[in-house]
Amino acid sequence: MRILLPIKQVPESKAVKMDEATGTVIRQGVASIINPLDLYAIEAALVLQARHGAETVALSMGPPAAESALRETLAMGVGEGVLISDRAYAGSDSWATAWILAAAARRLGPFDLILCGERATDGDTGQVGPELAAALGLPVLTYVNRFDWDGNEFCAGRLVEDGVEEWAGKLPAVITVVKEIAAPRLPTLAGKIRARQAVIPRLTQAELQLDPATVGLAGSPTRVARIYRPTIARSCRMVMAGDAEQAATACRDLHRFLHDRGVR
């Protein structure tokens, strides 16, 4: 069993900034981490690795600095990490990203299972997993909170608004998971040593040979039309009530304010 783990390096939530000119996330000079929701997919893969001897491969697209996220997955126990990095892919939206990941998956595959996090915390679309399945022509199951495989069929629970759906099927498939599937483990010391020494292969446009019109900004059908800071039009009046007389005045003013606006 071979499992592919598409992961993303994202800015820490408090450090997210947008480029108002291009409508893209500013990544240079910003502290980055593994997308927190991808950690649950990693843990689900590691459980399958332990139970079935599965081979796990983490795949990420980003600048050279994204290699650190792949090393963290290796420290957690993932078998191999591969980075897709090329300036030609900068500015890719979810569709172009899925197209690039699909090309890499074909080159590295075949894979029996592709496990994705529910969504990325920077874009928050939840589209890449299903789009990757579409690009590869694979069935997809989203919002999975339980996954088991007996060597022939898988059974999975899928969270919906009014409960949990029970699904069964055969691999290969793309699965996107939610937090309830597992509690992510911490990297071990031995894992950190192994990750530091590991060689991270890199895929570029030279290897993937994708049509330039299908990747990067040119291949992205969705764009951020405009970024602006909203103007707060509210105004307020501060009333100081430092003693009993001021408090009584403040109460009368509040009563009059509410009465004038029809509040009884």
Side-chain angles (χ1 to χ4, degrees):
M1 184 185 196
R2 299 191 75 221
I3 303 173
L4 181 66
L5 291 161
I7 69 164
K8 187 176 185 181
Q9 188 181 58
V10 299
E12 287 192 90
S13 297
K14 62 183 179 182
V16 174
K17 295 180 180 179
M18 299 291 292
D19 185 324
E20 296 187 12
T22 64
T24 57
V25 177
I26 297 173
R27 302 186 185 277
Q28 292 185 342
V30 177
S32 298
I33 58 174
I34 294 179
N35 174 45
L37 298 176
D38 288 343
L39 296 174
Y40 302 97
I42 293 169
E43 181 60 29
L46 293 176
V47 170
L48 291 171
Q49 179 175 269
R51 288 179 182 172
H52 304 287
E55 178 184 344
T56 52
V57 180
L59 176 66
S60 186
M61 186 180 83
E67 186 178 295
S68 63
L70 289 166
R71 292 192 186 278
E72 187 173 346
T73 68
L74 300 184
M76 295 172 68
V78 172
E80 182 183 353
V82 179
L83 178 65
I84 305 167
S85 187
D86 198 297
R87 288 297 303 170
Y89 302 152
S92 295
D93 69 354
S94 62
W95 178 252
T97 296
W99 198 251
I100 297 165
L101 292 174
R106 291 190 191 96
R107 185 179 179 89
L108 300 171
F111 293 96
D112 302 291
L113 179 63
I114 299 178
L115 279 173
C116 307
E118 176 191 349
R119 52 189 167 80
T121 55
D122 56 353
D124 214 39
T125 65
Q127 295 173 347
V128 171
E131 288 173 342
L132 176 57
L136 292 172
L138 294 176
V140 60
L141 198 59
T142 56
Y143 303 110
V144 170
N145 70 338
R146 180 181 54 78
F147 184 89
D148 297 300
W149 183 66
D150 63 7
N152 181 38
E153 284 194 343
F154 71 82
C155 58
R158 180 175 184 267
L159 281 184
V160 292
E161 290 183 359
D162 55 353
V164 178
E165 296 177 346
E166 294 294 327
W167 287 78
K170 291 184 178 294
L171 301 178
V174 177
I175 304 291
T176 74
V177 305
V178 293
K179 294 188 291 185
E180 288 79 2
I181 197 165
R185 68 190 67 188
L186 294 174
T188 64
L189 177 58
K192 289 181 178 180
I193 294 173
R194 171 178 166 266
R196 184 179 300 173
Q197 298 171 343
V199 175
I200 305 294
R202 192 169 296 183
L203 294 176
T204 66
Q205 173 68 353
E207 287 80 35
L208 298 182
Q209 291 292 303
L210 291 165
D211 182 349
T214 65
V215 299
L217 286 172
S220 298
T222 56
R223 303 286 180 90
V224 176
R226 184 165 66 103
I227 297 174
Y228 65 95
R229 298 181 183 275
T231 301
I232 299 176
R234 298 188 304 269
S235 60
C236 65
R237 175 184 164 211
M238 300 293 293
V239 177
M240 301 301 296
D243 54 34
E245 182 177 351
Q246 289 179 336
T249 301
C251 288
R252 287 193 297 271
D253 290 348
L254 177 60
H255 180 270
R256 186 180 305 109
F257 177 86
L258 296 174
H259 181 271
D260 292 345
R261 286 158 179 77
V263 179
R264 299 289 186 269

